[in-house]
């Protein structure tokens, strides 16, 4: 987790992942599952009186094929790009359930307060012979109308983390 203070008070964000696990009885089938969670709490003077601002939960459930769901190392950041005294919190994750070597899905999520902005697409993969696929993204409706500084930073986060694997280097 990470703690910081801004004009809105004291903050703590922590995130976690289950890793892969066998599907539960309530998720019938022969597959594996994985989940990720992130929580943002704020408090004024006493951390024992913290209030939940938002919770992020994503899941890939009962996948009988290749499965991945993980936060991307180095993607968590706290900024104040619009200089309004309220922090923006950035997380990125990738994953999916796939039976081939198609690109995994990827999302960059930014929260300002309890307002969520999401860009979604897929990671970039380079195949033997140099053929490339993936790397595309689109902004959700809220991100489309967000300040340009948010979109520019999101694009930088995407470019830094969207490359996934270069199969052309395997010998």
């Amino acid at each position: 987790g990470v703690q910081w203070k801004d004009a809105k008070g004291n903050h703590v964000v922590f995130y976690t992942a289950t890793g892969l696990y066998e599907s539960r009885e309530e998720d019938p089938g022969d597959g594996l599952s994985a989940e990720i969670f992130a929580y943002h709490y704020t408090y004024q003077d006493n951390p024992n009186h913290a209030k939940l601002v938002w919770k992020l939960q994503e899941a890939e459930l009962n996948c009988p094929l290749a499965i991945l769901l993980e936060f991307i190392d180095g993607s968590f950041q706290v900024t104040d790009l619009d200089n309004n005294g309220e922090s923006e919190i950035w997380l990125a994750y990738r994953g999916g359930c796939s039976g081939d070597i198609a690109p995994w899905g990827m999302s960059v999520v930014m929260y300002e307060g309890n307002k969520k902005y999401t860009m979604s697409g897929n990671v970039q993969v380079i195949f033997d012979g140099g053929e490339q696929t993936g790397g595309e993204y689109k902004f959700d409706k809220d991100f489309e109308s967000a300040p340009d500084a948010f979109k520019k930073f999101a694009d930088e986060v995407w470019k830094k983390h969207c490359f996934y694997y270069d199969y052309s280097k395997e010998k």
Side-chain angles (χ1 to χ4, degrees):
V2 176
Q3 277 188 282
W4 73 95
K5 185 174 184 171
D6 68 12
K8 299 286 184 175
N10 298 294
H11 303 266
V12 62
V13 169
F14 62 93
Y15 54 99
T16 187
T18 62
L20 299 181
Y21 62 88
E22 290 187 27
S23 295
R24 302 174 294 237
E25 287 182 28
E26 61 265 25
D27 304 322
D30 293 344
L32 294 175
S33 297
E35 298 174 76
I36 57 173
F37 306 88
Y39 305 86
H40 175 200
Y41 289 92
T42 188
Y43 61 93
Q44 291 305 317
D45 299 317
N46 185 343
N48 292 326
H49 296 115
K51 293 181 182 175
L52 180 66
V53 178
W54 54 258
K55 173 185 174 183
L56 171 79
Q57 180 177 354
E58 295 291 335
E60 284 294 332
L61 300 175
N62 196 30
C63 176
L65 307 167
I67 182 173
L68 176 75
L69 187 58
E70 64 185 7
F71 286 109
I72 300 172
D73 288 342
S75 68
F76 178 85
Q77 297 180 69
V78 177
T79 60
D80 185 12
L81 300 172
D82 56 359
N83 297 310
N84 66 355
E86 184 173 10
S87 300
E88 302 103 25
I89 301 159
W90 298 83
L91 297 161
Y93 58 91
R94 62 180 157 234
C97 174
S98 178
D100 60 19
I101 55 174
W104 296 111
M106 180 173 153
S107 294
V108 173
V109 177
M110 189 271 288
Y111 284 91
E112 186 177 46
N114 62 1
K115 186 165 185 177
K116 181 181 179 183
Y117 302 79
T118 304
M119 63 189 302
S120 300
N122 50 44
V123 299
Q124 183 181 29
V125 176
I126 301 172
F127 295 99
D128 190 23
E131 181 185 345
Q132 299 182 23
T133 188
E136 303 87 16
Y137 68 82
K138 67 180 197 171
F139 291 117
D140 71 1
K141 187 177 87 173
D142 289 326
F143 235 135
E144 284 291 342
S145 60
D148 287 340
F150 290 178
K151 291 185 275 194
K152 181 179 181 220
F153 191 81
D155 184 64
E156 291 170 8
V157 171
W158 188 272
K159 287 177 181 171
K160 181 177 179 182
H161 297 289
C162 82
F163 179 75
Y164 187 69
Y165 199 78
D166 188 346
Y167 288 97
S168 68
K169 293 184 178 179
E170 289 185 359
K171 298 293 176 210

